[in-house]
Amino acid sequence: MVRARTTLRGHIESVLFPLSLEVLGASEEEWRSATFPDLASKFNFLTACIEQFERDIPSSELTYLASVEDVIRYYKTPVARPKYIELRPQSLPLNVKNCDGEY
């Protein structure tokens, strides 16, 4: 499990390192602590992240992403399964019918 997290962090960093140099003009030594100088840079950086990782960032999280390190932390966080996926037909309320495409 620790190795998987290390590999994941390495993959995230290998994608974000060149991106932070290109989009944010960060230095190679301090690229993780680079912040977004303006909203356009933040938009361009996060849009590229969304395309690379194929994982959207909800608007409720945007306020908390102020640096590249914050973005690394966000993409390291596992995606929680929505509760409705965990519902099974036997656990549905009586007033909810499970439709299998038949009407």
Side-chain angles (χ1 to χ4, degrees):
M1 187 73 154
V2 172
R3 182 178 177 154
R5 281 189 227 148
T6 304
T7 304
L8 176 62
R9 183 177 177 99
H11 171 67
I12 292 169
E13 290 184 1
S14 71
V15 170
L16 296 184
F17 174 69
L19 196 57
S20 65
L21 298 180
E22 178 185 335
V23 176
L24 303 177
S27 68
E28 290 187 19
E29 297 81 26
E30 298 182 9
W31 66 274
R32 285 181 194 86
S33 61
T35 57
F36 307 109
D38 53 41
L39 290 178
S41 298
K42 184 174 185 176
F43 175 81
N44 292 333
F45 186 85
L46 295 179
T47 301
C49 290
I50 291 167
E51 290 173 6
Q52 287 290 320
F53 297 116
E54 297 179 349
R55 179 177 166 194
D56 287 333
I57 302 171
S59 58
S60 60
E61 293 291 325
L62 294 175
T63 304
Y64 304 110
L65 303 177
S67 69
V68 175
E69 187 63 40
D70 296 334
V71 177
I72 292 170
R73 191 174 309 111
Y74 173 78
Y75 279 109
K76 275 182 31 183
T77 305
V79 178
R81 293 179 63 192
K83 295 290 182 196
Y84 64 86
I85 290 176
E86 295 173 359
L87 288 176
R88 290 175 179 56
Q90 63 271 23
S91 66
L92 292 174
L94 295 175
N95 65 336
V96 176
K97 181 180 177 185
N98 186 11
C99 296
D100 293 326
E102 296 178 22
Y103 294 97

